[in-house]
Amino acid sequence: MERLDIDINTPISIEEDVAAEDELLGMIQNLSLGALLAAHVVNTAMRIMSARYPAELVRFPLPEQYNLRQLYPLAFTDHEHEIARTIFNQRAARAGDLDADDLRPRMEPLDTGQQVQVVLALFFMFGSKVGAMKHRTGFQ
């Protein structure tokens, strides 16, 4: 995620740079770590963004009309997308980190594949927000 903040044009492969799909599936299905992974992604995103960009931009919520699928060719369902957007905004509104317990009520009702999609959507939401803030501030 830090590489993406440094160079928004860096090619990122979730499979190669983050975790292989079977690893994500295993962490979520076998170890029940979906909520923990989601919390880690948004907490890391906030740490990275807060260190570089104005607080009013970092804390500004992703609006209701925000649709990640219009920016990237991704196949999230409306439900997965909305849960990810809600989690992202929940963390942006807080002064402190989220933990797995904060996110379990949203994540546990989802099946394994949906939880993977939410975690991936959070990562892409971070990238789109960083891109927008770079554009707005002129930071390179």
Side-chain angles (χ1 to χ4, degrees), residues 7-67:
D7 180 5
I8 195 68
N9 296 315
T10 287
I12 298 289
S13 165
I14 298 296
E15 189 82 15
E16 294 174 17
D17 297 318
V18 179
E21 184 178 352
D22 61 333
E23 291 171 337
L24 282 173
L25 287 170
M27 286 188 280
I28 292 171
Q29 186 172 24
N30 301 329
L31 302 174
S32 300
L33 296 178
L36 181 65
L37 290 170
H40 177 70
V41 171
V42 294
N43 291 333
T44 301
M46 287 301 294
R47 179 182 52 79
I48 291 168
M49 293 185 301
S50 295
R52 190 163 188 190
Y53 304 99
E56 63 272 9
L57 294 179
V58 172
R59 300 240 174 247
F60 193 82
L62 299 172
E64 195 170 315
Q65 68 272 18
Y66 172 83
N67 190 336

Side-chain angles (χ1 to χ4, degrees), residues 21 88 94 137:
E21 184 178 352
F88 201 95
R94 287 180 59 149
T137 62

